[in-house]
Amino acid sequence: MNRRLILGILGRLLLLEAGLMLLSLAVSMYYGEGDAPSFLYSIGILLAVGLPLSALSRPEKNAVRAREGLAAVGLAWILLSAFGALPFMFSGATVYYWDALFETVSGFTTTGASILPAVEHLPHGILFWRSFTHWVGGMGVLVLTLAVMPKFGGKGSQLARAESPGPTFSKMVPRMTDTARLMYAIYAAMTLVLILLLLLSGMPLFDTLIHAMGTAGTGGFSSRNLSVGAYGNAWAEMIIMVFMFLFGANFTLYFRLLKGEGLKSFKSEEFRAYLLLALGSVLVIALNILPRFGNFFTALRYSGFQVSSIMSTTGYATTDFALWPQFSHILLLLLMLVGASAGSTAGGIKVVRMVILGKAAVHEVGHEVSPRRVRMLKLDGKPVGADVLRGVLVFFFIYVSFLFVGTLVASTDGHDFLTCFSATASCLSNIGPGLSLVGPVGNFGIFSPHVKYLLTFMMLAGRLEFIPLLALFHPSVWRNGH
Amino acid sequence: MRVLIIGDGKVGHSLAGQLILEGHEVTIVDRSEAALQRSMDTLDAMAVKGNGVNADTLREAGAPDADIVIAVTVSDEINMLACLTAKRLGAKYAIARIRDPEYHKSLPFLMKELLIDYVINPERILAQEISRILRYPFTGSIETFARGRVELMDFRLGPGDALAGHSLRDLYAHKPSLPRVLFCAVQRGEEALIPKGDLVLQADDHVYVASDVPTITAFFKAIGKNTSGVRSVMLMGAGRIAYYLAEMLLKMHIQVTVVELDEEVAQEFSEALPQARVILGDGTDQELLSGEGLDTYDAFVTLSGLDEENIMAGLYAQRLGVRKVVVKTSRDNYQELLGSLGLDSAVSVKQSTGDTILRAVRTRSAADAAAAVERLYHIIDGEIEALEFIARQEDRVLGAPLMELALRPDALIAVIVRDGQVYIPTGRDTLREGDRVIVMVKGGGVERLDDILGGQA
């Protein structure tokens, strides 16, 4: 591994983070609630560390190979979170560093799980920073770097590949810089539309920004303790419901739409499965909770919002679904594991992986029945390569292992199984709320520090889809030179 | 420009790397996942897996919007079909690698019917290069204009050369018998000059001259550069390069003998080029070579697939006293070594293929900006452009004698081709509509013929 190169990349990222904090600084100065100095200090520290580091090497001159890409992405997310937690500490929003780190990682990984008991009393600047990390983390910090630092671009495919969710990464256009810009352009345009619609629905401007960023990144931080439900605004709920689903779809579809392919853009097996799974779940849960609400349309409204929120791994709530019947619980829990589409801002195992796994299972049965028959595993009419299939199988194994080991460790705090299991699943899939004690009105503050560190690690691992983080533990990544 | 490369082999891969460096958007199509993966790990390009002839694959790779499609798979047939398909889908310009001599004969027909704009034939390029070494051993390069009627060649002035010390203006006054060529460009040290009448030639100048083919040959003879006078050539190996080279040499009435080990190959060669003498036997066998009278030939060219064999046979021929020995090698770094042994060398295929395609792409991207340009070459590291135009009615440079035109100081009208005749223009000549005009410019900025006018243009 080329260490100077990695340090150079990390240095530039810290400078970028300082730049991102400027926006929050502006917000805090506008509201004048005394949290501006905490951003100033943080920016100062970021510059003090970032400037010398970025002077160490010129990444544009070196080739970023697979191992450097993985290590850079893994370390970048750890460092960004470590420094991104500073404003929480300086402003006194959190007393302990592990709480600040949990909150920041939860932001960048677009989880939205919170240890802050009363967000409504926090200064606006801090709230804005919290939600802004969602927006940046959703599409990816390194992808943003590639977009704003074009000299980087040529070598950046490895970085983008390591950061982007899904079993495969494909560029939209030949140049990496252009691809990164295109991704962010689509992302920003959709966010802007969402902001306008929310404003039209009557939501106040600041709350609109917070919820638009939370929805776009499929994060779930709210400026209200009761989340979106606090507004009782049916239009806003509808808008957010639809957009959560949209941000959970593969952005390549929108790119094809932009290219003028019309409805054909959505001809993707993953999108079809995503849509059908969402619609089916909405209907079944609506029927299940019908007795609680008495009116089918009210039931549909709550069920629709909750399914979209959980599947897209956003985590907003309009009602306390922890009070819903067992069947709805378990279905939501399963949807938590599945998550949304590859190439979106969402987390989870991803629908496309489930589709591939399902097909592989059918194939395997077929292979046992007639072993000599030649079959090809196909997705969207194209063969799924052995590499991709192996990657999906291993991913699934790692995901399940992390889930169970995480549950085991979390249980040392003595909470019930559903709490521990759903908290781990929720963090791994970057959703936010779980069930039981960590349900929509609950809070992750109940856990002890070591469990918080564990869950923090789970969020990072889930967002980066394990490999970049696990690669840091692989000795050959650290060997200098080759 | 958006470039689509079909075939991710050695040439395709290195070409992609170079084009990306030059700022083009590159998409690569190949059937091999492994090859694409290797390219994606190192190049900022987009990869599409699939058959380059398949319209769906090409569409996915963006062929409809591609400015240039370059087909360099191992198969001539796939390359041709890929170009046709891509052009039909809307690609603007297609380059195909076609190496089989069989196709080469019907190339104009194929190009027209299959919508191929530019054909690259690496073996033929190498054959041309060897033919140049045999004919004009002292030149570094030859570019052709006006459909091959005009050649632009460069040579280095030696200290004792008759031309050195004369200004261009009175050169012909001193030597009235010297055949008239145009001095187009001079490279002096690092500097590139567009020569005017008062430029005095110096030893070690790199001089570029242009004229029609017979005149230029006569010119070199007159200044004492040996145009070799090679009358007979023996070739070792009867592969594709040998075929193209023999064909060129035979056209120039040079006697050709080919030694080939493989009976089938030898027979095919003899069938295709009956005027050539084909000897069945081992070209590395010294007895055979001397028995065939190698020492009576003016030149010996070794074209086998093995560098070592080529070098050994070449050294042997040199010891027999053959005047001109050319050795084909596949490695660049042999060139100097062979030069010190007194052998000429020609470096083969991969490098020259990439270079030639790159030049075609550069020309295309320059010509894209300037639709009026017929042909464009960069010489002296791209400092000077040689451009070919066809004069049109609306051009303001028409009608007036050239000496009355206010040309840019760094521009020069080099050659005029009118009704198939090549003229070296003097100040009294005027341009007419339909003339092919070859212009030299330093510093670029010429997209139409009128752009060579200074100030008021």
Side-chain angles (χ1 to χ4, degrees), chain A residues 249-272 380:
Chain A
N250 194 327
F251 275 54
T252 312
L253 303 181
Y254 304 130
F255 172 65
R256 286 165 57 181
L257 198 63
L258 271 180
K259 274 207 310 190
E261 288 183 29
L263 273 183
K264 257 174 60 190
S265 314
F266 295 98
K267 249 183 124 181
S268 132
E269 285 189 45
E270 180 182 29
F271 185 75
R272 203 184 324 152
D380 292 327

Side-chain angles (χ1 to χ4, degrees), chain A residues 23 48 69 71 78 96 129 134 183 186 224 228-229 240 280 334 337 349 353 403 438 452 456 472:
Chain A
L23 210 57
I78 294 174
Y96 301 109
W129 172 240
H134 272 340
M183 281 161 78
I186 295 173
R224 304 292 284 268
V228 179
I240 291 179
L334 293 178
L337 304 187
I349 293 174
R353 285 205 181 88
L403 180 56
V438 289
K452 281 179 189 160
T456 305
L472 294 179

Side-chain angles (χ1 to χ4, degrees), chain A residues 133-389:
Chain A
T133 54
H134 272 340
W135 196 79
V136 179
M139 191 51 85
V141 192
L142 284 121
V143 174
L144 179 60
T145 318
L146 295 178
V148 298
M149 298 183 185
K151 276 188 178 166
F152 239 125
K155 319 281 185 188
S157 317
Q158 300 288 355
L159 296 173
R161 189 182 302 173
E163 195 180 46
S164 301
T168 54
F169 170 74
S170 58
K171 292 181 184 170
M172 297 174 183
V173 290
R175 282 199 206 109
M176 190 56 234
T177 307
D178 296 343
T179 301
R181 286 195 181 147
L182 202 57
M183 281 161 78
Y184 260 95
I186 295 173
Y187 188 43
M190 284 173 67
T191 311
L192 212 63
V193 172
L194 174 59
I195 290 174
L196 289 177
L197 288 176
L198 283 180
L199 282 177
L200 283 178
S201 79
M203 200 183 260
L205 176 64
F206 184 79
D207 301 49
T208 295
L209 291 179
I210 293 294
H211 288 96
M213 292 191 293
T215 305
T218 66
F221 277 147
S222 174
S223 49
R224 304 292 284 268
N225 285 330
L226 287 177
S227 187
V228 179
Y231 300 95
N233 180 338
W235 281 114
E237 283 175 29
M238 286 263 285
I239 294 163
I240 291 179
M241 175 183 82
V242 171
F243 272 84
M244 284 190 297
F245 181 82
L246 291 180
F247 280 107
N250 194 327
F251 275 54
T252 312
L253 303 181
Y254 304 130
F255 172 65
R256 286 165 57 181
L257 198 63
L258 271 180
K259 274 207 310 190
E261 288 183 29
L263 273 183
K264 257 174 60 190
S265 314
F266 295 98
K267 249 183 124 181
S268 132
E269 285 189 45
E270 180 182 29
F271 185 75
R272 203 184 324 152
Y274 177 49
L275 187 65
L276 288 180
L277 189 58
L279 290 179
S281 305
V282 170
L283 200 67
V284 175
I285 290 182
L287 290 173
N288 186 240
I289 60 174
L290 188 56
R292 289 181 61 82
F293 295 99
N295 176 331
F296 183 70
F297 288 100
T298 316
L300 206 57
R301 169 178 157 190
Y302 287 116
S303 143
F305 189 90
Q306 243 30 258
V307 167
S308 176
S309 171
I310 293 294
M311 259 197 102
S312 68
T313 73
T314 309
Y316 280 137
T318 48
T319 178
D320 185 4
F321 55 82
L323 304 173
W324 289 1
Q326 244 353 281
F327 174 79
S328 300
H329 272 179
I330 303 299
L331 184 53
L332 285 176
L333 197 60
L334 293 178
L335 291 181
M336 278 187 186
L337 304 187
V338 174
S341 312
S344 70
T345 62
I349 293 174
K350 306 277 159 10
V351 175
V352 68
R353 285 205 181 88
M354 298 309 282
V355 172
I356 293 176
L357 285 170
K359 288 188 171 192
V362 171
H363 257 245
E364 193 56 28
V365 174
H367 179 74
E368 294 294 328
V369 174
S370 54
R372 308 201 64 130
R373 186 164 157 204
V374 178
R375 293 178 188 79
M376 187 67 107
L377 193 65
K378 282 190 169 180
L379 186 72
D380 292 327
K382 283 186 194 152
V384 176
D387 280 0
V388 174
L389 179 60

